[in-house]
Amino acid sequence: MKFIFKLLLNGAIAVTLLLWLTKATFWEAAISSVVLSVIAYLLGDQYVLRISNNTVAMLVDAVLAFVYFWVVASLLKWDLSIGGLIFLTLFLGVGEAVYHRFLAIDREREKAIG
């Protein structure tokens, strides 16, 4: 359930902004968003979050998104400017903050239940 939430949240943000900011096709934007979500979930949420905290994991996810979309935009010849990349990263960072808040609430609920 947590991964699905992350996938949908990142997808809504990334696909919308990539279609607006670049000449990416819907499928390029959607596939790149799914790949980012998988990598961010495995790296940020399954590794970094376990050894640190929500803030660090959120920052790792934001940096990962910046680097990832910079590389993907270059490889796919999208016209993503540095300003657009920063804008995309900021919105994804806000999405990650929402997601990590959801994780914190879920962890507290699990502790309360026992």
Side-chain angles (χ1 to χ4, degrees):
M1 182 65 188
K2 295 172 189 174
F3 175 71
I4 298 297
F5 182 71
K6 182 180 190 92
L7 187 67
L8 293 174
L9 183 63
N10 279 348
I13 295 167
V15 170
T16 301
L17 290 178
L18 287 171
L19 290 175
W20 181 48
L21 296 170
T22 71
K23 293 180 181 175
T25 68
F26 172 79
W27 290 111
E28 288 172 337
I31 291 168
S32 66
S33 175
V34 168
V35 171
L36 172 67
S37 294
V38 170
I39 295 168
Y41 183 77
L42 294 173
L43 180 65
D45 303 327
Q46 295 299 309
Y47 180 69
V48 174
L49 188 57
R50 292 178 192 267
I51 62 172
S52 64
N53 58 43
N54 278 335
T55 303
V56 173
M58 180 187 70
L59 291 172
V60 167
D61 284 344
V63 170
L64 173 66
F66 183 89
V67 172
Y68 173 79
F69 280 119
W70 184 16
V71 170
V72 170
S74 176
L75 291 174
L76 296 179
K77 308 277 191 262
W78 294 344
D79 53 344
L80 185 59
S81 69
I82 191 70
L85 183 57
I86 291 169
F87 186 72
L88 173 62
T89 301
L90 288 174
F91 270 84
L92 286 169
V94 169
E96 285 297 324
V98 169
Y99 174 71
H100 284 277
R101 180 73 181 137
F102 166 76
L103 290 179
I105 291 168
D106 191 52
R107 265 194 308 279
E108 291 300 318
R109 183 177 36 232
E110 287 175 0
K111 285 180 186 176
I113 292 172

